[in-house]
Amino acid sequence: MGEMEDLQKEANNLKDQITAARKAVQDSTLQETVAGTTVVGRVQLKTRKTLRGHLAKIYAMHWGADSTLCVSASQDGKLIVWDSISTNKVNAIPLKSSWVMTCSYAPSGNLVACGGLDNMCSIYNLKGKDGNVKVMRELAAHTGYLSCCRFLSDTEIITSSGDCTCVLWDIETGTQKTIFAGHMGDCMSLAVSPDFNFFISGACDFTAKLWDIREAQCRQTFSGHESDINAIGFFPNGNAVITGSDDATCKLYDLRSDQELITYQDSSIMCGVTSLAPSKSGRLLLAGHDDFNVNIWDALKSERVGVLAGHDNRVSCIGVSSDGMACCTGSWDSFLKIWN
Amino acid sequence: MCSSNSVIQAQKLVDQLRVEAGMERIKQISLTAADLVRYCQEHRRHDPLLTGIAASSNPFKDKKSCVLL
């Protein structure tokens, strides 16, 4: 068909334009910029707490905004809200579907959400009148598994799905406000920008996309990974994006110059990245891998400066608390560990 | 899982590429990279995992001494 050929040609022209525009701002590299900076000293974090209670693989965890409470999701069919300092279980929420893949804590601390192979995002109210934690809303419309969810507020949540889309939901009405379509593979992970105006998604099409939440538009697409992107996060200043992939590397993409700045890789690291979290200043990048370890990188110098070894199975999730005081890892070994 | 190749799909891709090509990449890498470095330096003091935490101010560290309740 002539039309398809024309469209293909136009697509290739536009891709060339983008490549040229990216080259035009490539007056330097991150490596050159930090040539005079010293690598950070060896980072040795210790396990301070082990949160025991789940009876099966932990798939996700998320810190509450108070840097003390955190929520974890396990395929034992439970969401547990923990006090990470006392290790007490504040809530143990039984789930309708045990095939959970993600969980999220609302910034307010009032709600938690989870979802997985049930294709739904279930919202739970932690502060119900009678003290019981109940399902408040079931957000159903995705035609694939729920891989990740993140609250914008108590009334809005963004989800990513194996159906290749991300969705912004109105929690009160339980309806989809915006559908973000464009990925050509399962969306695996998402992260919201510090100013709440954008979010980024990583997918099995090996790309990461930056979305303008209110304009409902994909603004930028980042390529380079050679396999599925499983984990994604914002650099703390909101101007860069970090991705973690099955290709065993992490990458740092700069938003304003629209390109990759650096790849975090080592020939000795052969296992896929499952999860990642930057430290509070962004200087450290913590990445969880299939090989049961967490690698700690100097994010500017791209050198490995530490390892967290303590789990007996895959590290599936990781998070740094908002005050930066601790890192929490969750594993298929059914335990969560708090490190600092 | 996702729609197969079609004219509509190809048109959507072209439309999206047009949006991305139209982006203003005004900031050079030398400047954006410097911004990242500056951010790390400015916030270094507030990054406990980087600078280390004194045992006395670490809420996660078990206190060794006994406490009179």
Side-chain angles (χ1 to χ4, degrees):
Chain A
M1 260 174 92
E3 206 177 347
M4 275 300 284
E5 274 170 24
D6 289 341
L7 286 171
Q8 189 62 54
K9 220 180 270 177
E10 199 177 349
N12 288 337
N13 281 340
L14 289 165
K15 283 181 191 169
D16 289 341
Q17 266 182 53
I18 293 171
T19 305
R22 284 171 172 166
K23 266 219 179 71
V25 289
Q26 237 175 52
D27 64 334
S28 181
T29 62
L30 178 59
Q31 288 97 317
E32 278 169 37
T33 310
V34 298
T37 314
T38 342
V39 182
V40 302
R42 188 128 192 95
V43 175
Q44 280 167 317
L45 305 182
K46 294 203 174 81
T47 303
R48 301 295 178 189
K49 306 283 177 186
T50 300
L51 306 180
R52 297 166 215 274
H54 279 301
L55 303 171
K57 294 174 177 171
I58 291 172
Y59 273 78
M61 70 77 49
H62 195 212
W63 281 99
D66 67 352
S67 299
T68 303
L69 298 178
C70 64
V71 63
S72 61
S74 163
Q75 294 205 345
D76 63 3
K78 290 240 168 34
L79 270 192
I80 298 181
V81 177
W82 309 83
D83 177 321
S84 61
I85 296 180
S86 67
T87 74
N88 287 340
K89 299 175 192 47
V90 178
N91 301 102
I93 307 164
L95 304 174
K96 267 194 211 171
S97 164
S98 63
W99 305 113
V100 66
M101 295 174 68
T102 180
C103 63
S104 179
Y105 217 128
S108 66
N110 296 329
L111 310 173
V112 289
C114 69
L117 294 184
D118 59 355
N119 298 1
M120 291 195 312
C121 182
S122 301
I123 314 284
Y124 293 84
N125 185 355
L126 296 176
K127 309 284 172 74
K129 287 197 183 91
D130 54 0
N132 276 339
V133 177
K134 285 194 296 262
V135 180
M136 199 182 94
R137 225 32 112 238
E138 279 174 344
L139 308 173
H142 277 300
T143 54
Y145 60 84
L146 205 83
S147 53
C148 194
C149 57
R150 285 291 177 260
F151 284 93
L152 292 183
S153 66
D154 279 4
T155 54
E156 288 182 319
I157 192 168
I158 300 183
T159 56
S160 62
S161 168
D163 66 10
C164 309
T165 70
C166 296
V167 171
L168 169 69
W169 302 82
D170 178 327
I171 296 176
E172 278 169 36
T173 59
T175 55
Q176 301 165 289
K177 269 181 152 168
T178 314
I179 300 174
F180 301 91
H183 273 300
M184 305 292 278
D186 300 14
C187 294
M188 297 302 291
S189 185
L190 75 97
V192 180
S193 66
D195 65 7
F196 289 92
N197 290 328
F198 297 91
F199 77 93
I200 41 174
S201 58
C204 292
D205 60 7
F206 312 173
T207 72
K209 282 179 179 288
L210 174 77
W211 307 86
D212 182 323
I213 298 176
R214 302 306 159 192
E215 298 293 312
Q217 176 82 62
C218 168
R219 290 252 169 265
Q220 292 167 254
T221 301
F222 300 98
S223 316
H225 274 298
E226 294 168 1
S227 189
D228 302 350
I229 294 177
N230 298 317
I232 199 162
F234 271 94
F235 188 87
N237 72 354
N239 287 331
V241 167
I242 312 161
T243 54
S245 165
D246 269 348
D247 67 11
T249 74
C250 292
K251 284 178 187 290
L252 178 71
Y253 294 98
D254 179 64
L255 294 183
R256 287 174 302 177
S257 60
D258 186 41
Q259 58 197 279
E260 178 187 325
L261 284 188
I262 207 153
T263 297
Y264 305 98
Q265 66 190 341
D266 189 301
S267 52
S268 65
I269 304 173
M270 291 174 294
C271 278
V273 178
T274 60
S275 47
L276 63 83
S279 70
K280 186 128 170 82
S281 69
R283 187 63 195 263
L284 300 177
L285 169 62
L286 295 97
H289 289 257
D290 287 343
D291 65 1
F292 312 176
N293 289 331
V294 172
N295 288 311
I296 306 179
W297 297 86
D298 176 328
L300 295 181
K301 297 291 285 184
S302 176
E303 279 190 42
R304 218 160 26 140
V305 293
V307 172
L308 300 182
H311 282 291
D312 295 325
N313 207 323
R314 176 187 292 196
V315 174
S316 55
C317 50
I318 192 167
V320 171
S321 57
S322 30
D323 64 3
M325 286 291 279
C327 158
C328 177
T329 53
S331 166
W332 280 11
D333 68 9
S334 83
F335 303 118
L336 295 140
K337 286 182 185 286
I338 310 286
W339 311 74
N340 67 14
Chain B
M1 185 71 257
C2 306
S3 356
S4 55
N5 237 346
S6 67
V7 175
I8 301 171
Q9 194 69 11
Q11 184 64 59
K12 276 198 187 141
L13 178 60
V14 166
D15 291 341
Q16 178 55 38
L17 285 169
R18 232 182 250 131
V19 168
E20 294 181 19
M23 177 203 164
E24 277 197 77
R25 296 166 191 80
I26 39 170
K27 223 153 182 196
Q28 312 264 41
I29 287 187
S30 57
L31 297 174
T32 60
D35 281 350
L36 288 177
V37 175
R38 196 175 314 121
Y39 188 91
C40 286
Q41 285 164 348
E42 282 171 4
H43 292 81
R44 191 201 143 77
R45 239 172 298 125
H46 307 293
D47 190 343
L49 293 180
L50 181 61
T51 57
I53 310 168
S56 51
S57 32
N58 188 350
F60 297 98
K61 193 167 161 65
D62 284 326
K63 307 279 179 270
K64 292 248 162 73
S65 53
C66 293
V67 176
L68 279 172
L69 295 169

